[in-house]
């Protein structure tokens, strides 16, 4: 097995400039959000108190970072070490994803300076409490899981710039210790990370069940926690495929199609299980009829199902899985499916009462794009300077 | 979403299933068990309200809330607000029943639920169900996530959209300003038509039934809030020809919304057994696979 190495390419490319543009425009809107209130930037209103920042930046963000724990599950726990090359990038992206989720939450909190209250004031009855704690803990676990990459790159080579140089010895000693400790405790973090993921991925599905009279019956089900977990597991490998494909394209790397095409064989299984549970639940509750009542709910539902069903069938076919573009499109479809599913539960399926409507404002879009751009920026930074991606000859 | 009797069964069935799935006792479908002393509340008799808005004004005075300009585009003229907001905790609105065409004034405010969804939802416990019956909010804890607003079936909690440091605001049943000083709510005191009665919840229920019994022609026999969403401290009466739904009081089920989420939540984390069990199971699988891989002498592992 070849080793992961830092890419060490040119960092400031035109693509990075584009990312910076999105980040700056988000910063402009954040000025208004933080100093003139939500009303000056968002279209949120009394009946739609949670909007795109929660539905996309948080609810989708958590799901799309699921590549980390699913790959961990497959590689480390089920012992499929042939996919080992996919593990580091998956864990890195998960870490960046959760970091962004944390930032997005802080951004969306009206009283953001009290974010630490979740640590000291506990309401164990609150679903959100559980989500907040799992996300915090899992973010820490992910940070630890990324330590080996840093150790590998910098151990015995610490060379801080300028005045910071006097800390070289200290930092190095720390890396030495981290290296030794990590070898012994990694397994606990691997397991802990997966359990924490199970916890908050499913709890995210419980969140809107607090509003039985607002959530449409196509999505209001006690199975929601299970469905959220299953859909997160299904989207995990798709995210890995998605990232690997983009990395190949943008960093001019050799195609990894043999590896990711093989890895993608998990997707139809996970998706199939999810779809079975989804329809099983609808049939069991007698809610299937609602899917055939023309209107926005039924349309949103069928879009969601189509985005899952098509790749589920297509990716069973080897010819599709080992074709770079088709595989990429299949992964995109699953990812979009999860995004639509989360939007359906958090926004579209929520009838918040008469007289109010919600569609995200320009500012809300700009901030969301800014967060995504920041994530890509961090990813590029990390793979450029840390051994994340496998060396290619 | 057409709120009708089906919804009642939908939530009842789902709650029962959720509770079973969580190995908890299935929720009772016949009606919630109400606490013996539920504290104080108000009976809003919509048949008596004359729409003078004295209660609305009294509320603004006691809570020191500014008047709202509602015709902003024409220079912030004063008019009655159209909806609850961060500076309007209670509102009198006229509704016309679609079927009978009859017009009725009704008071809108926090229902002070017995098992409040807002309180269950808040992750930092900023909402408190006080022994007086009032549901209050603690600004020293709230992080402004607005999950309470999503959770409240009546869309009561409001957020200050135009402030850098926003509060959540809603009717407090005058808990701090009057109740704890032995005084009834400001709105009930101000009402000239005797449409708002302040008192202990059980007495209010008795009073409501007495009114219905004395004038069966004037009243719908149902007391709204006795059992809805698990019971509320604010109760309503309506005319026979004006449905509660018309007045913004939908036919909600008798099970409090938190029963479902809490039973799932506590099932998933019961004494931490499920997470620990998953942890152990995954650990076992991992150890097994590592051993097998080693025996096969196959792929190495960092
Ligand atoms: S009406 Fe809404 S805000 Fe008032 S106690 Fe009930 S859930 Fe809470
Ligand atoms: S906005 Fe405040 S009171 Fe409401 S749920 Fe969030 S933290 Fe609790």
């Amino acid at each position: 097995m070849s080793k992961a190495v830092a890419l060490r390419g040119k960092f400031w490319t035109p693509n990075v400039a584009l990312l910076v543009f999105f980040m700056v425009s988000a910063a402009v809107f954040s000025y208004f959000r933080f100093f003139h209130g939500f009303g000056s930037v968002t279209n949120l209103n009394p009946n739609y108190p949670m909007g795109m920042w929660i539905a996309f930046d948080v609810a989708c963000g958590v799901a799309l970072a699921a590549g980390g724990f699913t790959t961990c599950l497959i590689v480390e726990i089920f012992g499929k070490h042939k996919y080992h090359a996919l593990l580091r990038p998956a864990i890195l992206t998960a870490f960046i994803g959760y970091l962004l989720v944390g930032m997005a939450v802080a951004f969306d909190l009206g009283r953001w300076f009290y974010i630490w209250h979740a640590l000291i004031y506990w309401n164990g009855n609150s679903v959100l409490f559980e989500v907040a704690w799992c996300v915090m803990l899992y973010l820490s676990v992910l940070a630890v899981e990324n330590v080996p990459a840093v150790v590998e790159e910098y151990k015995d080579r610490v060379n801080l710039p300028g005045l910071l140089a006097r800390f070289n010895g200290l930092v190095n000693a720390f890396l030495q210790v981290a290296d030794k400790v990590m070898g012994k405790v990694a397994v606990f973090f691997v397991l802990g990370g997966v359990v924490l993921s199970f916890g908050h991925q499913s709890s995210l599905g419980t969140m809107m069940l607090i509003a039985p009279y607002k959530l449409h019956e196509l999505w209001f089900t006690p199975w929601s926690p299970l469905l959220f977990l299953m859909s997160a597991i299904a989207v995990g490998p798709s995210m890995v495929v998605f990232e690997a494909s983009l990395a190949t394209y943008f960093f001019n790397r050799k195609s990894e199609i043999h590896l990711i095409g093989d890895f993608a064989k998990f997707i139809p299984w996970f998706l199939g299980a999810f779809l079975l549970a989804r329809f099983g639940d609808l049939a069991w509750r007698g809610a299937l009829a609602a899917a055939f009542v023309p209107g926005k709910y039924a349309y949103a539902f069928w879009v969601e199902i189509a985005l899952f069903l098509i790749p589920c069938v297509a990716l069973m076919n080897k010819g599709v899985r080992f074709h770079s573009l088709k595989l990429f499109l299949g992964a995109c479809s699953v990812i979009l499916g999860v995004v639509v599913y989360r939007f359906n539960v958090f926004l579209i399926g929520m009838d918040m009462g008469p007289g109010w409507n919600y569609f995200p404002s320009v500012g809300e879009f700009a901030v969301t794009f800014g967060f995504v751009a920041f994530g890509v920026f961090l990813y590029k930074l990390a793979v450029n300077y840390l051994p994340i991606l496998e060396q290619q000859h | 979403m057409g709120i009708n009797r089906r919804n009642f069964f939908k939530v009842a069935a789902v709650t029962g299933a959720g509770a079973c799935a969580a190995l908890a006792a299935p929720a009772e479908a016949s009606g919630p068990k109400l606490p013996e002393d539920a504290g104080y509340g108000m009976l809003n008799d919509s048949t008596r309200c004359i729409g003078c808005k004295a209660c609305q004004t009294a509320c603004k005075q006691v809570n020191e809330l500014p008047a709202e300009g509602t015709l902003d585009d024409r220079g912030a003229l004063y008019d009655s607000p159209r909806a609850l907001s961060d500076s309007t905790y209670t509102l009198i609105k006229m509704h016309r029943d679609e079927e009978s065409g009859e017009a009725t004034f009704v008071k809108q405010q926090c229902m002070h639920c017995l098992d409040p969804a807002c309180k269950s939802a808040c992750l930092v416990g900023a909402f408190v169900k006080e022994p007086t019956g009032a549901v209050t909010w603690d600004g020293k804890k709230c992080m402004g996530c607005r999950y309470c607003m999503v959770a409240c079936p009546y869309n009561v909690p409001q957020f200050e959209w135009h402030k850098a440091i926003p509060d959540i605001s809603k009717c407090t049943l005058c808990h701090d300003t009057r109740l704890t000083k032995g005084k009834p709510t400001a709105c009930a005191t101000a009402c000239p038509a005797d449409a708002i009665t302040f008192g202990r919840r059980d007495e209010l229920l008795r009073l409501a039934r007495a009114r219905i019994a004395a004038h069966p022609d004037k009243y719908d026999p149902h007391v709204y809030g006795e059992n809805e969403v698990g019971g509320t401290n604010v109760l309503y009466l309506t005319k026979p020809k004006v449905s509660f739904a018309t007045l913004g009081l939908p036919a909600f089920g008798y099970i409090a919304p938190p029963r479902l989420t809490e039973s799932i939540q506590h099932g998933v984390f019961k004494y931490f057994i499920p997470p620990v069990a998953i942890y152990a199971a995954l650990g076992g699988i991992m150890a097994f696979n590592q051993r097998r891989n080693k025996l096969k002498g196959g792929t190495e592992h960092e």
Side-chain angles (χ1 to χ4, degrees):
Chain A
M1 178 159 44
S2 55
K3 247 172 76 67
V5 287
L7 290 183
R8 304 212 172 281
K10 194 162 157 262
F11 184 73
W12 294 101
T13 58
N15 291 335
V16 175
L18 189 68
L19 296 179
V20 171
F21 165 77
F22 280 120
M23 279 145 56
V24 170
S25 67
V28 173
F29 283 102
S30 16
Y31 164 79
F32 290 99
R33 174 255 170 276
F34 281 106
F35 295 100
H36 297 276
F38 277 75
S40 64
V41 176
T42 70
N43 281 344
L44 296 175
N45 58 59
N47 281 29
Y48 283 91
M50 285 184 174
M52 176 148 119
W53 291 344
I54 291 294
F56 185 80
D57 303 11
V58 178
C60 293
V62 165
L64 300 184
F69 90 94
T70 39
T71 313
C72 231
L73 197 65
I74 292 170
V75 175
E76 302 268 27
I77 294 179
F78 290 104
K80 306 268 184 248
H81 291 295
K82 62 175 160 173
Y83 305 116
H84 200 266
L86 300 173
L87 193 56
R88 268 199 188 171
I91 287 183
L92 170 72
T93 351
F95 174 71
I96 294 174
Y98 277 88
L99 193 68
L100 295 182
V101 167
M103 287 173 61
V105 167
F107 205 90
D108 195 78
L109 288 181
R111 302 154 72 90
W112 49 272
F113 43 87
Y114 279 166
I115 190 165
W116 50 277
H117 277 185
L119 292 171
I120 56 163
Y121 297 120
W122 293 14
N123 176 16
N125 288 332
S126 167
V127 181
L128 195 54
F129 171 79
E130 199 275 328
V131 173
W133 267 85
C134 271
V135 168
M136 277 190 294
L137 291 175
Y138 187 45
L139 180 60
S140 321
V141 167
L142 282 168
V144 172
E145 288 183 340
N146 275 293
V147 164
V150 181
V151 169
E152 205 176 295
E153 183 68 18
Y154 290 109
K155 198 174 80 169
D156 297 329
R157 265 186 289 160
V158 182
N159 187 12
L160 295 170
L163 273 180
L164 289 174
R166 72 175 76 166
F167 295 113
N168 279 349
L170 198 68
V171 174
N172 197 38
F174 177 76
L175 289 180
Q176 297 275 10
V177 174
D179 190 20
K180 287 223 180 63
V181 175
M182 270 314 289
K184 299 217 174 64
V185 300
V187 51
F188 296 104
F189 283 98
V190 166
L191 290 170
V194 173
V195 173
L196 286 168
S197 296
F198 273 46
H200 67 268
Q201 293 285 2
S202 58
S203 290
L204 217 48
T206 321
M207 258 187 83
M208 292 295 145
L209 300 186
I210 190 74
Y213 303 107
K214 298 177 182 174
L215 186 54
H216 190 270
E217 61 177 331
L218 283 170
W219 295 280
F220 182 84
T221 160
W223 288 23
S224 191
L226 184 68
L227 294 173
F228 263 57
L229 177 60
M230 293 178 90
S231 60
I233 292 179
V235 81
S238 299
M239 277 308 284
V240 171
V241 168
F242 177 76
E243 289 148 20
S245 307
L246 289 185
T248 305
Y249 180 77
F250 281 106
F251 302 142
N252 284 320
R253 288 163 58 83
K254 268 205 308 257
S255 167
E256 293 176 308
I257 186 71
H258 291 295
L259 190 62
I260 57 175
D262 188 33
F263 190 64
K265 71 176 177 229
F266 293 106
I267 300 175
W269 288 103
F270 293 163
L271 261 187
F274 164 75
L275 285 170
L276 268 181
R278 182 90 170 89
F279 279 98
D281 160 62
L282 288 171
W284 174 70
R285 285 188 297 119
L288 211 46
F292 298 99
V293 181
K296 78 167 180 187
Y297 299 116
Y299 302 148
F301 171 79
W302 285 113
V303 169
E304 172 196 320
I305 296 300
L307 286 168
F308 284 130
L309 202 57
I310 295 168
C312 182
V313 174
L315 291 174
M316 282 186 222
N317 185 325
K318 269 197 166 177
V320 175
R321 280 214 309 275
F322 289 99
H323 184 288
S324 295
L325 182 64
K326 287 180 189 161
L327 175 64
F328 178 71
L329 290 178
C332 287
S333 178
V334 182
I335 292 166
L336 267 179
V338 163
V339 169
V340 171
Y341 181 35
R342 302 292 143 117
F343 266 93
N344 281 342
V345 173
F346 277 76
L347 277 178
I348 299 169
M350 294 284 281
D351 180 355
M352 304 293 279
W356 294 95
N357 268 309
Y358 168 78
F359 191 83
S361 67
V362 175
E364 287 174 87
F365 276 110
V367 168
T368 293
F369 289 151
F371 272 121
V372 174
F374 186 51
V376 177
F377 183 84
L378 287 179
Y379 178 83
K380 175 143 197 217
L381 207 61
V383 294
N384 212 27
Y385 295 109
L386 290 174
I388 303 290
L389 297 175
E390 204 92 324
Q391 191 168 25
Q392 292 184 327
H393 303 284
Chain B
M1 170 190 341
I3 304 276
N4 48 32
R5 273 197 68 76
R6 247 189 85 221
N7 262 318
F8 166 76
F9 292 111
K10 172 182 124 189
V11 177
V14 162
T15 307
C20 291
L23 309 170
E28 272 174 75
S30 52
K33 265 205 205 79
L34 302 177
E36 270 171 25
D37 180 14
Y40 293 96
M42 292 194 280
L43 175 63
N44 290 337
D45 189 335
S46 74
T47 70
R48 295 185 175 194
C49 177
I50 53 172
C52 73
K53 297 179 183 170
C55 52
Q56 212 173 295
T57 317
C59 177
K60 289 235 175 199
Q61 274 169 352
V62 72
N63 291 302
E64 296 171 4
L65 300 170
E68 275 179 86
T70 52
L71 301 171
D72 265 342
D73 45 340
R74 282 189 259 157
L77 293 170
Y78 172 74
D79 192 359
S80 193
R82 302 194 136 228
L84 295 183
S85 74
D86 52 347
S87 50
T88 301
Y89 298 172
T90 190
L91 188 60
I92 294 291
K93 280 212 250 185
M94 192 198 79
H95 299 271
R96 199 179 291 284
D97 190 276
E98 267 184 30
E99 267 170 44
S100 64
E102 185 128 12
T104 307
F105 294 104
V106 78
K107 188 173 186 286
Q108 188 187 0
Q109 62 166 100
C110 172
M111 304 288 283
H112 298 281
C113 308
L114 291 172
D115 188 353
C118 58
K119 171 184 165 229
S120 170
C122 177
L123 76 167
V124 291
F127 276 104
V128 178
K129 179 77 181 171
E130 309 278 357
T132 55
V135 174
T136 57
W137 170 83
D138 184 353
K140 288 195 285 299
K141 289 185 177 170
C142 172
M143 327 197 297
C145 70
R146 310 185 295 287
Y147 189 35
C148 51
M149 302 174 71
V150 173
C152 171
Y154 298 95
N155 287 340
V156 167
Q158 300 291 319
F159 185 77
E160 295 179 324
W161 299 106
H162 291 284
K163 283 202 187 151
I165 297 176
D167 284 352
I168 292 283
S169 52
K170 68 168 197 71
C171 156
T172 61
L173 203 69
C174 293
H175 179 265
D176 295 341
T177 44
R178 300 174 57 94
L179 246 54
T180 47
K181 295 176 186 144
K183 287 191 271 185
T185 53
C187 52
T189 313
C191 180
D194 211 9
I196 311 169
T197 314
F198 174 85
R200 300 205 75 88
R201 187 177 188 269
D202 46 356
E203 280 161 23
L204 294 175
L205 270 174
R206 234 171 285 142
L207 175 67
R209 288 204 201 95
R211 282 191 196 165
I212 293 167
H215 297 281
D217 50 320
K218 257 187 76 185
Y219 286 103
D220 183 296
H222 184 69
V223 183
Y224 191 95
E226 180 174 3
N227 293 313
E228 276 82 5
V229 294
T232 59
N233 279 43
V234 175
L235 306 166
Y236 282 87
L237 290 174
T238 187
K239 300 172 197 167
K241 279 190 192 146
V242 180
S243 73
F244 283 109
T246 303
L247 305 180
L249 299 165
F252 288 154
Y254 289 176
I255 290 166
R259 288 305 105 228
L260 172 65
T261 42
E262 289 184 16
S263 63
I264 293 181
Q265 196 64 8
H266 294 173
V268 170
F269 288 94
K270 205 165 204 174
Y271 307 117
F272 282 99
I273 293 172
V276 171
I278 295 179
Y279 193 101
L282 291 176
I285 297 173
M286 188 173 176
F288 174 79
N289 283 320
Q290 267 175 7
R291 242 179 79 89
R292 199 186 52 180
N293 279 342
K294 216 178 254 156
L295 288 182
K296 272 198 303 191
T299 18
E300 71 274 46
H301 179 233
E302 282 190 348

